[in-house]
Amino acid sequence: MNEPSGHLPTASPAAAVPPPAVPPPAGCPAHETAVRLGGLEYQQTPAELYRELRRRYGAVAPVLLDGDVPAWLVLGYPEVSYVTAHDDLFARDSRRWNQWEAIPVDWPLMPFVGYQPSVLFTEGAEHQLRASVITEALEVVDQFELAQWCRRIAGLLINAFAGSGQAELMSAYAHALPMRAAVQMCGMPARGTDTEELVRDLRISLDAGEGDDPVAAYVRVQERIRRLVKEKRAVPGADVTSRMLSHPAGLSDEEIVQDLISVIAAAQQPTANWIGNTLRLLLTDDRFALNVSGGRLSVGQALNEVLWLDTPTQNFIGRWAVRDTTLAGRRIRAGDCVVLGLAAANTDPQIWPEGHVGAENAAHLSFGNGEHRCPYPAPMLADVIARTAVETLLERLPDVVLAVEPAELAWRPSVWMRGLTALPVRFTPVMQ
Ligand code: HEM
């Protein structure tokens, strides 16, 4: 149904071993009329589908994931806020799922739900500790220095296609830049054979193409990050890895490996699609004239509008009910899977009664909410990376335009990420 691309993958299909099964809820009546997530119509115009689901089911819809596995999709802004704020009721450890018996080991969503002992799946005091180690290591990242790295990385990527007068920006730019920025934050050079291999393997394990072996790539990523941790243990530097290692919490090397992979993976896909979706908006919407003299709305406004209207992590899987409860009148059983409908919540008519969606503030749920939200200061770092990527491209290629009609731009066939399959552009070739 949908490719296993999405935010925060945690394990290769083979690496994720389902925990002992709890019997699935027998014939939940709500799911007899559930909607299958996915399908082309969904991918291209999800906003319409969310409207329809809301009309039919209200704020919480019974849905079927790949292989017709039942789950709940939370569509309402107050309801997503409630679920994420009550981690005692809707928690992150996927081992409590009551559907494991029905899930094959090679299930496409396994990388996102297969339990791993990382920050993503830990709970309570342990999660607070793991998250604080990440937060404190990220807090020290100098945003001016990060912007400088990003400009340098952007320059090198643009140099590779500037002379040709054309490019496919998703692969040549939007995906490549945040990956390199994240790797550099963690203490590896943005370029070099080792880094190139890690970047390639991360891409394959996060977003496998035809002929790729995501399991083998993920094993190589783990090996490389283990080596990085060992190197930084021996010779610390001014980087996120070294700061995590020297944190007084004293996490083990293996815990740090798991959390570093989570950080790099979490930084990659959503930031890449944030860049791509913003470039698309700038290139297709007259309110954002691309040259500086004609510009009416800024890059900052475009970045924020995307978070409201085309948020990169459109649905996030998820939370698992700790005990029987109700949500928006639905009976949720212990162990049910709850998918956070972040895009649907951002466009909830309850918060936009006038029908106009989007504000200049950051009250959207695009970075999640509550205990497991995207950890401070990651959203700010992501903003630096995305803003620098967009601004540098526009500065270097001031007459860049789409090379296809806007209607020809296709969205990725993913229920989880909102991003383009390709963004072909043309511009006056720049000789270096
Ligand atoms: C420098 C870039 C980024 C880094 C380092 C980063 C890091 C992380 C980490 C480590 C988590 C796991 C938190 C936990 O489970 O406690 C997380 C969660 C999350 N991040 Fe980010 N992230 C980045 C960019 C983004 C972007 C651009 C978006 C979307 C616009 C985003 C949206 C989210 C969401 C929706 C979650 C899940 C929240 C939840 O479970 O409620 N992140 N991020």
Side-chain angles (χ1 to χ4, degrees), residues 1-3 35-46 49-50 53 63-66 68 73 109 314-315 412-416:
M1 181 173 82
N2 25 286
E3 63 186 41
V35 158
R36 278 198 181 84
L37 283 185
L40 198 61
E41 177 202 36
Y42 181 91
Q43 319 307 342
Q44 303 306 316
T45 56
L49 188 94
Y50 299 138
L53 287 180
V63 291
L64 297 173
L65 307 173
D66 295 59
D68 285 352
L73 176 63
L109 297 181
Q314 56 176 330
N315 294 304
R412 301 169 59 101
S414 169
V415 170
W416 312 104

Side-chain angles (χ1 to χ4, degrees), residues 21-328:
V22 180
C28 168
H31 281 88
E32 277 163 20
T33 56
V35 158
R36 278 198 181 84
L37 283 185
L40 198 61
E41 177 202 36
Y42 181 91
Q43 319 307 342
Q44 303 306 316
T45 56
E48 281 166 31
L49 188 94
Y50 299 138
R51 251 196 307 278
E52 174 58 19
L53 287 180
R54 224 182 257 117
R55 196 187 58 72
R56 235 195 281 172
Y57 300 105
V60 177
V63 291
L64 297 173
L65 307 173
D66 295 59
D68 285 352
V69 176
W72 300 101
L73 176 63
V74 189
L75 299 153
Y77 185 99
E79 288 76 13
V80 171
S81 305
Y82 179 84
V83 166
T84 47
H86 288 82
D87 50 324
D88 52 331
L89 207 50
F90 297 100
R92 267 297 287 156
D93 189 334
S94 59
R95 288 176 296 184
R96 52 171 71 79
W97 201 359
N98 55 27
Q99 293 297 311
W100 278 119
E101 216 170 50
I103 309 246
V105 265
D106 60 349
W107 197 52
L109 297 181
M110 193 61 96
F112 308 103
V113 298
Y115 174 83
Q116 286 283 293
S118 76
V119 65
L120 301 174
F121 291 98
T122 50
E123 295 177 355
E126 194 193 344
H127 176 260
Q128 279 167 14
L129 187 73
R130 302 279 284 263
S132 70
V133 172
I134 294 176
T135 292
E136 286 167 41
L138 290 177
E139 242 169 10
V140 187
V141 174
D142 180 323
Q143 294 189 28
F144 292 104
E145 199 180 8
L146 176 62
Q148 234 171 27
W149 292 343
C150 290
R151 258 194 300 279
R152 204 170 320 126
I153 298 167
L156 292 169
L157 293 170
I158 294 168
N159 286 349
F161 56 73
S164 70
Q166 56 181 339
E168 194 291 278
L169 290 180
M170 289 313 293
S171 58
Y173 196 68
H175 281 286
L177 195 148
M179 184 92 88
R180 282 172 168 72
V183 163
Q184 180 149 7
M185 271 198 286
C186 292
M188 288 179 68
R191 287 178 82 188
T193 318
D194 225 15
T195 302
E196 292 311 315
E197 277 168 16
L198 177 63
V199 165
R200 200 197 53 222
D201 286 334
L202 276 164
R203 185 197 57 72
I204 295 172
S205 54
L206 295 172
D207 194 8
E210 218 166 296
D212 286 335
D213 182 346
V215 176
Y218 187 77
V219 169
R220 287 194 298 270
V221 168
Q222 276 185 318
E223 279 165 7
R224 184 60 192 93
I225 300 292
R226 275 196 193 109
R227 225 167 54 237
L228 175 68
V229 165
K230 219 165 146 195
E231 286 158 11
K232 296 294 170 183
R233 210 27 117 198
V235 187
D239 51 66
V240 169
T241 308
S242 303
R243 287 193 288 273
M244 287 174 75
L245 285 165
S246 65
H247 192 282
L251 297 184
S252 70
D253 284 10
E254 199 46 39
E255 286 171 325
I256 291 176
V257 167
Q258 293 289 339
D259 288 355
L260 271 177
I261 295 175
S262 302
V263 165
I264 296 173
Q268 158 54 20
Q269 288 273 332
T271 314
N273 288 315
W274 193 10
I275 295 169
N277 295 356
T278 303
L279 285 170
R280 171 191 162 274
L281 180 63
L282 290 165
L283 291 166
T284 56
D285 192 319
D286 290 342
R287 291 173 302 142
F288 301 92
L290 265 187
N291 59 47
V292 177
S293 55
R296 279 177 289 157
L297 294 175
S298 68
V299 168
Q301 284 163 310
L303 284 164
N304 199 51
E305 184 165 317
V306 163
L307 292 182
W308 279 106
L309 285 170
D310 268 323
T311 195
T313 311
Q314 56 176 330
N315 294 304
F316 182 73
I317 184 166
R319 299 291 191 272
W320 285 269
V322 174
R323 55 177 188 271
D324 288 358
T325 185
T326 54
L327 183 65

Side-chain angles (χ1 to χ4, degrees), residues 342-354:
L342 302 178
N346 286 345
T347 54
D348 185 348
Q350 245 191 290
I351 57 165
W352 304 111
E354 309 293 324

